[in-house]
Amino acid sequence: MKPHAHTAFLLLGSNLGDRVVTLHRALLALAEKGGRLVAVSGVYETAAWGQEAQPAFLNQAVQLSTDLTPEQLLAACQQVEADLGRERLELWGPRTLDVDILFYDNLVLQTAELTIPHPRLPERLFALVPLADIATAYVHPQLGKSVADLLADCPDKLPVEPWFGAM
């Protein structure tokens, strides 16, 4: 089995329906459509960010080994979201599944459809905490800070708690 050419870090989030089942199905679908799962963080229950008057999220970070280009990976992530019932009704609104590309190798990319690294990662505790489970030493290619340093410097104070429900 040949190794995949690229490493991507993704964040999964769900706050509608059976959140943990959705995350599990998303992992299976990403492995099928996106590449090989290398590492998966713990699951965290997090307060909604941006629009706080909605149900809490379950979030999980994933390291994926992939042969897809960033644009193909985005399309695969959006297909997984759609397959699992994602409807894009309002910015930062409730959703069955959200899949964000946080990093793709050491690439810095900004197009109309995709920005890598994820532009709001340094200010989002709900993304940094699970990412730190699997990529503590990974260095942000623009900021030159490790995930651990980004986590230590994060201004976000919304609660992020380990989730111990049944998988």
Side-chain angles (χ1 to χ4, degrees), residues 17-120:
D18 191 332
R19 301 171 303 166
V20 73
V21 168
T22 298
L23 291 181
H24 182 72
R25 287 182 178 160
L27 290 174
L28 296 174
L30 287 166
E32 179 184 319
K33 294 179 187 323
R36 184 174 56 83
L37 297 178
V38 175
V40 178
S41 76
V43 175
Y44 292 86
E45 190 161 49
T46 65
W49 189 96
Q51 192 183 121
E52 296 176 29
Q54 60 180 306
F57 277 83
L58 289 184
N59 288 107
Q60 188 170 38
V62 177
Q63 180 182 349
L64 190 70
S65 182
T66 185
D67 288 328
L68 300 179
T69 66
E71 295 79 9
Q72 290 169 331
L73 182 58
L74 175 64
C77 291
Q78 290 175 337
Q79 185 61 56
V80 169
E81 289 176 342
D83 290 349
L84 293 175
R86 168 80 186 255
E87 295 179 316
R88 295 178 183 276
L89 303 175
E90 58 183 310
L91 183 64
W92 298 327
R95 47 209 174 270
T96 54
L97 181 64
D98 188 33
V99 182
D100 288 334
I101 301 172
L102 303 178
F103 296 118
Y104 182 98
D105 293 336
N106 289 314
L107 181 68
V108 175
L109 174 72
Q110 186 158 8
T111 68
E113 295 79 30
L114 183 58
T115 301
I116 299 174
H118 192 289
R120 289 177 294 281

Side-chain angles (χ1 to χ4, degrees), residues 127-162:
L128 289 167
V129 170
L131 185 59
D133 276 2
I134 60 172
T136 304
Y138 192 87
V139 175
H140 191 293
Q142 287 172 300
L143 303 177
K145 292 181 171 184
S146 69
V147 170
D149 290 337
L150 292 173
L151 180 58
D153 295 344
C154 184
D156 183 7
K157 300 301 178 213
L158 290 173
V160 176
E161 301 292 335

